[in-house]
Amino acid sequence: MDYQRVFSKAIERLHEEGRYRVFIDILRNKGAFPNARCFAGHNGPKPITVWCSNDYLSMGQHPKVVEAMEEALHDVGAGSGGTRNIGGNTHYHIELENELADLHGKESALLFTSGYISNEATLSTLAKILPGCAIYSDELNHASMIAGIRNAGCEKHVWRHNDLDHLEELLAAADPEQPKVIAFESVYSMDGDIAPIAAICDLADKYNALTYCDEVHAVGMYGPRGGGITDRDEVADRVTIIEGTLAKAIGVMGGYITADKMIVDVIRSYAPGFIFTTSLSPVLVAGALASVKHLKASCEERDAQQQSASLLKAMFSEAGLPVMDSTTHIVPLMVGDPVKAKRISDILLAEYGVYVQPINYPTVPRGTERLRFTPGPTHTPEMMRELTGALLEIWDRLELRKAA
Ligand SMILES: *Cc1c(COP(=O)(O)O)cnc(C)c1O
């Protein structure tokens, strides 16, 4: 076996398809987001503007968050020192779980080291506990949910994205006694559309299914207290398990689920991805706690983000750029080709100091490669005008397709 050859072939395939991933080397400037420094060149760091951060509300730099983390670091030190069971269950963890349960109006919450792990661990464990369980998964669900469903080893049905008729058709075909879990997201992060949560819950009621909603791209940003789309639409009490991340709008790191006491106790007691790993650093937990508390009480960041997103969408569409039909804070521009998407991104960075990562397969289906902009409260109209101008120039230069 020529191992070297197999590995280099695998990498070559990615280059041939134009989707070999290059990470860019940056440092953000605290207090000046979206300004950052890029270390790609050879003559020292170059100033850039970040347009693709999932720190949607700049909470990762918020003074309250930074101070809470400094305070925790000086009070209790860097790491947690163990799993939740053995030495790593700090008072910060308990306090944040209480805060998150309250945010979603649930009895309990459980922290994980990331949103990815929370999805993987919860879905795989849930389906193993429920005998003969079938999971109904929206076709655009995130890789972490897919991993959980796969690791569950249970029966799986994929329903067409947001298609309630298809979901019902699949549910109706099953044995009424079979345990069922419907898994979906609230905000789909690559298209920027929203699930019909109330209608999904109606189907769950009709066919006696549990519901699992990934609110990763909505937590902090929607609803009067930032509880997500389930908060905005007042349906949180109808969803069995709400999952979220502390790494996006909350601005720190970590993931969680919230649900009733019994379900949280089951996941806590059976999920290997929760049990056999060191708990989050108390420093991270303290930061997330300050962020969640702040966003519960303040709508300023959410409102400013929505204004920024509307303005950028309007500018793109006025300029004839192929902005996708997003109903959320996510502003995707369709390119439809991996090589072109990478080329646009490279030119933006090299010539305009604009950082937006191309989004390629398998993050999105082939042929729908895109640039995904995430304007936030601190992206100014002036920055948006410059960005739109840069894109127009590149669109002409590369003779790309404009919107109809
Ligand atoms: C980012 C993401 C996750 C994973 O969250 P992390 O905290 O980054 O691990 C889960 N679900 C969706 C939809 C995501 O976009």
Side-chain angles (χ1 to χ4, degrees):
M1 184 55 161
D2 184 349
Y3 294 105
Q4 212 53 37
R5 205 172 142 265
V6 176
F7 293 138
S8 82
K9 277 261 175 252
I11 294 296
E12 229 170 82
R13 274 200 300 278
L14 296 178
H15 281 295
E16 274 163 18
E17 290 178 32
R19 57 187 188 90
Y20 180 74
R21 294 176 175 206
V22 181
F23 302 158
I24 86 155
D25 183 358
I26 64 171
L27 283 176
R28 306 195 300 163
N29 305 339
K30 181 165 77 79
F33 192 78
N35 296 304
R37 290 155 279 166
C38 177
F39 295 85
H42 299 289
N43 8 331
K46 167 184 156 169
I48 57 164
T49 313
V50 179
W51 282 99
C52 58
S53 176
N54 280 337
D55 184 358
Y56 289 120
L57 304 176
S58 319
M59 289 306 289
Q61 315 199 340
H62 195 284
K64 282 187 191 171
V65 174
V66 174
E67 271 163 39
M69 294 180 75
E70 281 173 348
E71 220 169 274
L73 178 65
H74 292 294
D75 190 25
V76 302
S80 79
T83 62
R84 289 292 290 276
N85 188 39
I86 309 174
N89 187 39
T90 80
H91 189 64
Y92 291 104
H93 291 78
I94 297 164
E95 217 185 321
L96 179 55
E97 284 174 345
N98 290 337
E99 196 68 38
L100 291 167
D102 174 76
L103 176 65
H104 296 289
K106 299 285 182 196
E107 286 175 356
S108 284
L110 193 67
L111 289 174
F112 296 81
T113 46
S114 75
Y116 186 102
I117 305 278
S118 64
N119 275 331
E120 194 284 323
T122 305
L123 282 168
S124 62
T125 303
L126 198 62
K128 281 178 183 154
I129 294 289
L130 295 166
C133 176
I135 297 185
Y136 296 78
S137 174
D138 185 288
E139 69 177 335
L140 292 191
N141 275 345
H142 188 259
S144 53
M145 278 197 270
I146 296 169
I149 295 165
R150 191 167 294 147
N151 291 349
C154 69
E155 191 182 314
K156 172 185 91 168
H157 302 276
V158 177
W159 42 296
R160 285 190 295 274
H161 177 54
N162 279 350
D163 184 337
L164 294 165
D165 292 335
H166 190 211
L167 174 60
E168 175 150 27
E169 195 182 298
L170 294 169
L171 289 167
D175 177 353
E177 292 305 311
Q178 182 178 24
K180 301 175 187 72
V181 178
I182 306 173
F184 57 99
E185 299 181 23
S186 60
V187 170
Y188 286 86
S189 65
M190 293 300 150
D191 293 36
D193 59 343
I194 294 178
I197 302 179
I200 293 172
C201 292
D202 290 342
L203 289 178
D205 290 346
K206 187 168 167 190
Y207 294 96
N208 194 24
L210 302 182
T211 45
Y212 183 97
C213 180
D214 173 319
E215 283 258 48
V216 161
H217 289 276
V219 165
M221 295 174 280
Y222 294 87
R225 300 197 308 157
I229 300 294
T230 51
D231 183 16
R232 185 195 74 175
D233 294 356
E234 298 180 352
V235 289
D237 61 323
R238 300 191 62 196
V239 176
T240 318
I241 300 174
I242 295 175
E243 182 271 346
T245 184
L246 305 170
K248 292 173 184 171
I250 307 302
V252 190
M253 192 179 183
Y256 66 91
I257 57 161
T258 62
D260 68 31
K261 264 201 181 81
M262 184 65 81
I263 289 179
V264 169
D265 202 21
V266 164
I267 303 303
R268 183 186 77 87
S269 307
Y270 281 95
F274 172 80
I275 297 171
F276 299 105
T277 190
T278 300
S279 66
L280 285 168
S281 158
V283 179
L284 297 173
V285 179
L289 183 61
S291 183
V292 170
K293 278 186 176 163
H294 175 82
L295 290 173
K296 254 184 193 173
S298 165
C299 285
E300 198 184 311
E301 294 81 6
R302 284 190 273 288
D303 292 347
Q305 180 198 30
Q306 289 297 323
Q307 277 175 15
S308 283
S310 308
L311 186 57
L312 188 63
K313 280 185 224 172
M315 282 189 193
F316 280 0
S317 110
E318 224 164 88
L321 292 164
V323 58
M324 291 169 67
D325 197 13
S326 155
T327 53
T328 61
H329 58 280
I330 293 158
V331 185
L333 268 192
M334 182 57 81
V335 180
D337 179 275
V339 177
K340 285 177 184 160
K342 171 88 168 65
R343 180 104 179 87
I344 302 166
S345 164
D346 288 346
I347 297 175
L348 280 171
L349 185 64
E351 298 181 26
Y352 294 95
V354 163
Y355 174 39
V356 64
Q357 195 71 24
I359 311 281
N360 290 337
Y361 176 83
T363 308
V364 295
R366 288 182 208 271
T368 71
E369 291 81 6
R370 64 198 71 174
L371 301 173
R372 174 181 175 275
F373 298 85
T374 53
T378 51
H379 290 89
T380 64
E382 185 52 36
M383 289 172 180
M384 294 184 202
R385 270 190 292 277
E386 282 174 17
L387 171 66
T388 308
L391 285 166
L392 272 179
E393 187 278 314
I394 297 168
W395 240 253
D396 284 344
R397 193 190 321 176
L398 303 183
E399 297 178 343
L400 297 167
R401 195 178 48 82
K402 290 216 184 149

